[in-house]
mmCIF file of all heavy atoms in Angstrom:
data_model
loop_
_atom_site.group_PDB
_atom_site.id
_atom_site.type_symbol
_atom_site.label_atom_id
_atom_site.label_comp_id
_atom_site.label_asym_id
_atom_site.label_seq_id
_atom_site.Cartn_x
_atom_site.Cartn_y
_atom_site.Cartn_z
ATOM 1 N N ALA X 2 45.988 39.635 -36.372
ATOM 2 C CA ALA X 2 45.072 40.154 -35.348
ATOM 3 C C ALA X 2 43.940 39.176 -35.067
ATOM 4 O O ALA X 2 43.358 39.211 -33.995
ATOM 5 C CB ALA X 2 44.502 41.491 -35.789
ATOM 6 N N LYS X 23 24.300 29.816 -15.058
ATOM 7 C CA LYS X 23 23.855 28.645 -15.824
ATOM 8 C C LYS X 23 22.360 28.432 -15.660
ATOM 9 O O LYS X 23 21.649 28.080 -16.593
ATOM 10 C CB LYS X 23 24.593 27.402 -15.323
ATOM 11 C CG LYS X 23 25.975 27.267 -15.922
ATOM 12 C CD LYS X 23 26.678 26.078 -15.311
ATOM 13 C CE LYS X 23 28.158 26.184 -15.634
ATOM 14 N NZ LYS X 23 28.969 25.349 -14.760
ATOM 15 N N PHE X 32 12.328 27.925 -21.767
ATOM 16 C CA PHE X 32 11.192 28.766 -22.115
ATOM 17 C C PHE X 32 10.986 28.791 -23.632
ATOM 18 O O PHE X 32 9.894 28.559 -24.139
ATOM 19 C CB PHE X 32 11.435 30.181 -21.577
ATOM 20 C CG PHE X 32 10.311 31.138 -21.862
ATOM 21 C CD1 PHE X 32 9.114 31.038 -21.182
ATOM 22 C CD2 PHE X 32 10.463 32.126 -22.822
ATOM 23 C CE1 PHE X 32 8.081 31.911 -21.440
ATOM 24 C CE2 PHE X 32 9.434 33.001 -23.093
ATOM 25 C CZ PHE X 32 8.243 32.887 -22.403
ATOM 26 N N THR X 66 -20.426 18.881 -0.766
ATOM 27 C CA THR X 66 -21.191 17.719 -0.320
ATOM 28 C C THR X 66 -20.862 17.407 1.132
ATOM 29 O O THR X 66 -19.698 17.377 1.518
ATOM 30 C CB THR X 66 -20.838 16.492 -1.180
ATOM 31 O OG1 THR X 66 -20.792 16.886 -2.531
ATOM 32 C CG2 THR X 66 -21.862 15.404 -1.003
ATOM 33 N N LYS X 90 -0.584 13.997 -10.670
ATOM 34 C CA LYS X 90 0.766 13.861 -10.126
ATOM 35 C C LYS X 90 1.704 13.272 -11.162
ATOM 36 O O LYS X 90 2.862 13.667 -11.279
ATOM 37 C CB LYS X 90 0.728 12.962 -8.884
ATOM 38 C CG LYS X 90 0.541 13.755 -7.616
ATOM 39 C CD LYS X 90 0.607 12.844 -6.418
ATOM 40 C CE LYS X 90 0.008 13.519 -5.199
ATOM 41 N NZ LYS X 90 -0.468 12.519 -4.236
ATOM 42 N N SER X 94 5.076 14.972 -12.531
ATOM 43 C CA SER X 94 6.395 14.357 -12.412
ATOM 44 C C SER X 94 7.018 14.167 -13.789
ATOM 45 O O SER X 94 8.218 14.349 -13.973
ATOM 46 C CB SER X 94 6.305 13.037 -11.664
ATOM 47 O OG SER X 94 5.767 12.056 -12.497
ATOM 48 N N TYR X 109 25.569 19.393 -20.751
ATOM 49 C CA TYR X 109 26.575 18.606 -21.459
ATOM 50 C C TYR X 109 26.966 19.282 -22.760
ATOM 51 O O TYR X 109 28.150 19.391 -23.088
ATOM 52 C CB TYR X 109 26.040 17.207 -21.764
ATOM 53 C CG TYR X 109 26.245 16.247 -20.632
ATOM 54 C CD1 TYR X 109 25.175 15.576 -20.056
ATOM 55 C CD2 TYR X 109 27.524 16.015 -20.130
ATOM 56 C CE1 TYR X 109 25.361 14.707 -19.007
ATOM 57 C CE2 TYR X 109 27.726 15.141 -19.085
ATOM 58 C CZ TYR X 109 26.640 14.489 -18.528
ATOM 59 O OH TYR X 109 26.839 13.632 -17.488
ATOM 60 N N ALA X 110 25.938 19.737 -23.485
ATOM 61 C CA ALA X 110 26.194 20.351 -24.784
ATOM 62 C C ALA X 110 27.087 21.573 -24.609
ATOM 63 O O ALA X 110 28.045 21.778 -25.365
ATOM 64 C CB ALA X 110 24.878 20.747 -25.440
ATOM 65 N N ALA X 114 30.798 21.981 -26.098
ATOM 66 C CA ALA X 114 31.020 23.031 -27.084
ATOM 67 C C ALA X 114 32.129 23.974 -26.621
ATOM 68 O O ALA X 114 33.083 24.246 -27.367
ATOM 69 C CB ALA X 114 29.737 23.816 -27.321
ATOM 70 N N PHE X 126 46.574 27.320 -32.552
ATOM 71 C CA PHE X 126 47.467 28.485 -32.565
ATOM 72 C C PHE X 126 48.658 28.311 -31.630
ATOM 73 O O PHE X 126 49.320 29.276 -31.305
ATOM 74 C CB PHE X 126 46.699 29.746 -32.164
ATOM 75 C CG PHE X 126 45.526 30.043 -33.067
ATOM 76 C CD1 PHE X 126 44.236 30.015 -32.596
ATOM 77 C CD2 PHE X 126 45.753 30.366 -34.404
ATOM 78 C CE1 PHE X 126 43.173 30.277 -33.427
ATOM 79 C CE2 PHE X 126 44.679 30.632 -35.234
ATOM 80 C CZ PHE X 126 43.389 30.589 -34.758
ATOM 81 N N TYR X 132 51.564 38.138 -30.444
ATOM 82 C CA TYR X 132 52.269 39.359 -30.866
ATOM 83 C C TYR X 132 53.661 39.330 -30.249
ATOM 84 O O TYR X 132 53.928 38.562 -29.324
ATOM 85 C CB TYR X 132 51.512 40.630 -30.464
ATOM 86 C CG TYR X 132 51.124 40.712 -29.011
ATOM 87 C CD1 TYR X 132 52.024 41.230 -28.074
ATOM 88 C CD2 TYR X 132 49.880 40.276 -28.577
ATOM 89 C CE1 TYR X 132 51.676 41.298 -26.741
ATOM 90 C CE2 TYR X 132 49.527 40.337 -27.252
ATOM 91 C CZ TYR X 132 50.428 40.850 -26.334
ATOM 92 O OH TYR X 132 50.087 40.898 -25.014
ATOM 93 N N TRP X 145 60.262 33.528 -21.265
ATOM 94 C CA TRP X 145 60.025 32.076 -21.335
ATOM 95 C C TRP X 145 58.613 31.755 -20.832
ATOM 96 O O TRP X 145 57.884 30.963 -21.431
ATOM 97 C CB TRP X 145 61.069 31.364 -20.472
ATOM 98 C CG TRP X 145 60.933 29.880 -20.521
ATOM 99 C CD1 TRP X 145 61.373 29.043 -21.494
ATOM 100 C CD2 TRP X 145 60.259 29.058 -19.562
ATOM 101 N NE1 TRP X 145 61.051 27.757 -21.233
ATOM 102 C CE2 TRP X 145 60.361 27.724 -20.036
ATOM 103 C CE3 TRP X 145 59.597 29.314 -18.357
ATOM 104 C CZ2 TRP X 145 59.815 26.659 -19.327
ATOM 105 C CZ3 TRP X 145 59.061 28.244 -17.668
ATOM 106 C CH2 TRP X 145 59.168 26.923 -18.145
ATOM 107 N N GLY X 155 60.221 35.311 -27.034
ATOM 108 C CA GLY X 155 60.094 36.737 -27.325
ATOM 109 C C GLY X 155 58.694 37.124 -27.753
ATOM 110 O O GLY X 155 58.378 38.295 -27.906
ATOM 111 N N GLN X 160 48.222 30.476 -25.007
ATOM 112 C CA GLN X 160 47.810 30.134 -23.640
ATOM 113 C C GLN X 160 47.937 31.333 -22.703
ATOM 114 O O GLN X 160 47.033 31.630 -21.930
ATOM 115 C CB GLN X 160 48.653 28.966 -23.119
ATOM 116 C CG GLN X 160 48.206 27.601 -23.584
ATOM 117 C CD GLN X 160 48.710 27.277 -24.980
ATOM 118 O OE1 GLN X 160 49.456 28.049 -25.588
ATOM 119 N NE2 GLN X 160 48.277 26.139 -25.504
ATOM 120 N N ALA X 176 34.481 44.235 -10.907
ATOM 121 C CA ALA X 176 34.368 45.683 -10.743
ATOM 122 C C ALA X 176 32.950 46.138 -11.057
ATOM 123 O O ALA X 176 32.351 46.937 -10.322
ATOM 124 C CB ALA X 176 35.373 46.393 -11.651
ATOM 125 N N ALA X 179 30.595 45.168 -8.301
ATOM 126 C CA ALA X 179 30.754 46.023 -7.135
ATOM 127 C C ALA X 179 30.135 47.391 -7.389
ATOM 128 O O ALA X 179 29.419 47.937 -6.539
ATOM 129 C CB ALA X 179 32.242 46.169 -6.798
ATOM 130 N N ARG X 190 19.020 53.722 -0.929
ATOM 131 C CA ARG X 190 19.104 54.502 0.307
ATOM 132 C C ARG X 190 18.618 55.937 0.060
ATOM 133 O O ARG X 190 18.031 56.557 0.939
ATOM 134 C CB ARG X 190 20.547 54.524 0.814
ATOM 135 C CG ARG X 190 20.613 54.609 2.328
ATOM 136 C CD ARG X 190 22.048 54.714 2.799
ATOM 137 N NE ARG X 190 22.808 53.526 2.508
ATOM 138 C CZ ARG X 190 24.100 53.554 2.118
ATOM 139 N NH1 ARG X 190 24.722 54.693 1.925
ATOM 140 N NH2 ARG X 190 24.751 52.444 1.911
ATOM 141 N N ALA X 196 11.060 60.391 1.047
ATOM 142 C CA ALA X 196 9.756 59.830 1.392
ATOM 143 C C ALA X 196 9.566 59.843 2.907
ATOM 144 O O ALA X 196 8.462 60.010 3.407
ATOM 145 C CB ALA X 196 9.646 58.408 0.858
ATOM 146 N N SER X 202 6.783 66.295 7.364
ATOM 147 C CA SER X 202 6.361 67.675 7.101
ATOM 148 C C SER X 202 4.838 67.752 7.027
ATOM 149 O O SER X 202 4.231 68.717 7.473
ATOM 150 C CB SER X 202 6.996 68.178 5.807
ATOM 151 O OG SER X 202 6.562 67.367 4.733
ATOM 152 N N ALA X 206 2.252 70.126 8.935
ATOM 153 C CA ALA X 206 1.297 71.024 8.282
ATOM 154 C C ALA X 206 -0.082 70.857 8.904
ATOM 155 O O ALA X 206 -0.832 71.815 9.061
ATOM 156 C CB ALA X 206 1.245 70.733 6.787
ATOM 157 N N GLU X 207 -0.395 69.626 9.271
ATOM 158 C CA GLU X 207 -1.722 69.412 9.845
ATOM 159 C C GLU X 207 -1.776 70.045 11.213
ATOM 160 O O GLU X 207 -2.756 70.545 11.669
ATOM 161 C CB GLU X 207 -1.996 67.902 9.977
ATOM 162 C CG GLU X 207 -2.589 67.321 8.702
ATOM 163 C CD GLU X 207 -2.721 65.810 8.814
ATOM 164 O OE1 GLU X 207 -2.868 65.300 9.937
ATOM 165 O OE2 GLU X 207 -2.660 65.149 7.773
#
Side-chain angles (χ1 to χ4, degrees):
Chain X
K23 278 176 195 162
F32 181 73
T66 316
K90 268 184 198 155
S94 75
Y109 274 123
F126 301 116
Y132 52 87
W145 182 80
Q160 279 81 4
R190 211 183 295 142
S202 61
E207 273 174 28

